Amino acid sequence: MSGESTTRTRTSTGAGAAGKAGRPAGGRAGHIVSGLAVALGFVLFVGGFGWGVVVYRPYTVPTGSMTPTVAVGAKILAQRIDGSQVRRGDIVVFTDSLWGNIPEVKRVVGVGGDRIVCCDKQGRMTVNGKAIEEPYIKDTSEPASPVGFEATVPKGNLFLMGDNRAESQDSRVRLTDTDNGSVPRSTVQARVDAIAWPLGRMGMIDRTDAFTGLSGGPSQPGPLKWVVSAIVAGVVLIFGGAAYGPVAGTLSRLSRRRKR
């Protein structure tokens, strides 16, 4: 009888230990929550990445005409938009046969109907008689353009200039063209929202308020911040949820050791 009792006790103890060993560390509820976190993270990551692919397109800036805002060779993210959405101050990517039929990156300084003159006595460019303060140009101590010019932008067109006014080959050097150096809105492919490379220059490109006093106002920022937030949140949830089991197991073992 004693041997049988001992056998039962051992069997019971072994079963109990096996039962404890078979339970997931952290408890059933914890593992359900961690699984949901991983699933939600996956949805956010894939959804954010897919959203970004649909809305944004990467480009490489071919020249130094947009320095210091965007350096030559920089990788940029530009929101795919229709030319009708463009406002003064936007940095756009466009392709026009008269400009070499390759993607160009310039800043919009005038839209259809605008009268652009440079420069006034303070060296500023004026649009429809309003002097424009341009903090984004390469050398703010110099006139807005080293060579004076006047142009009226045809309806449905855009007048474009680089921020590096001394070197930029832009609408100013094409004033003898049929459209006074401007390009049709339909040539615009995208609006630049951020610099993706190099690492030291990564970040959003804020909309300028230089043209705020003119009709139309500045454009609204694209959804890039929301796209990035969704991707980052997805990564955090995926790794956080996946790490729950191992972390809970480690903490459980440490707790048992202390009790001993």
Side-chain angles (χ1 to χ4, degrees):
M1 290 295 290
S2 176
E4 185 179 338
S5 176
T6 301
T7 302
R8 288 177 181 174
T9 301
R10 288 175 180 173
T11 303
S12 175
T13 302
K20 289 180 181 179
R23 294 174 189 168
R28 183 183 299 275
H31 277 265
I32 291 175
V33 171
S34 67
L36 290 174
V38 170
L40 178 59
F42 183 78
V43 170
L44 286 173
F45 178 80
V46 174
F49 188 81
W51 186 13
V53 169
V54 170
V55 176
Y56 285 93
R57 182 176 173 181
Y59 291 91
T60 300
V61 178
T63 70
S65 67
M66 281 302 297
T67 55
T69 308
V70 187
V72 59
K75 309 295 183 182
I76 56 176
L77 291 178
Q79 182 186 1
R80 303 171 194 260
I81 61 168
D82 184 83
S84 63
Q85 298 172 264
V86 176
R87 300 289 183 269
R88 300 180 192 89
D90 287 347
I91 300 173
V92 299
V93 180
F94 68 99
T95 303
D96 186 89
S97 58
L98 295 178
W99 294 55
N101 209 31
I102 60 173
E104 295 269 0
V105 181
K106 306 290 182 187
R107 188 184 295 275
V108 177
V109 299
V111 298
D114 284 349
R115 177 67 176 169
I116 304 173
V117 180
C118 194
C119 302
D120 67 5
K121 293 180 179 180
Q122 284 74 44
R124 299 170 299 183
M125 176 178 66
T126 65
V127 179
N128 301 333
K130 175 180 172 55
I132 307 299
E133 300 289 347
E134 300 182 278
Y136 43 75
I137 64 176
K138 185 173 183 179
D139 192 346
T140 55
S141 65
E142 295 294 326
S145 174
V147 178
F149 67 93
E150 296 183 13
T152 298
V153 186
K155 185 177 180 180
N157 280 29
L158 303 168
F159 197 87
L160 304 157
M161 295 172 66
D163 290 355
N164 184 359
R165 300 290 166 78
E167 298 181 17
S168 177
Q169 299 293 307
D170 50 41
S171 292
R172 294 170 296 165
V173 302
R174 295 176 170 81
L175 294 176
T176 57
D177 293 352
T178 305
D179 291 333
N180 291 338
S182 63
V183 301
R185 283 181 177 269
S186 59
T187 63
V188 174
Q189 301 164 310
R191 178 169 51 215
V192 180
D193 263 2
I195 299 172
W197 188 264
L199 288 174
R201 297 296 302 276
M202 285 179 65
M204 301 289 293
I205 296 178
D206 295 328
R207 299 289 192 267
T208 179
D209 58 0
F211 301 86
T212 302
L214 297 169
S215 61
S219 62
Q220 295 299 311
L224 186 58
K225 287 184 178 179
W226 293 106
V227 170
V228 173
S229 296
I231 293 173
V232 171
V235 170
V236 170
L237 286 171
I238 289 171
F239 281 95
Y244 175 80
V247 171
T250 299
L251 292 176
S252 179
R253 287 191 295 273
L254 290 174
S255 178
R256 287 198 299 270
R257 288 174 183 173
R258 291 194 188 99
K259 289 178 180 179
R260 289 174 186 171

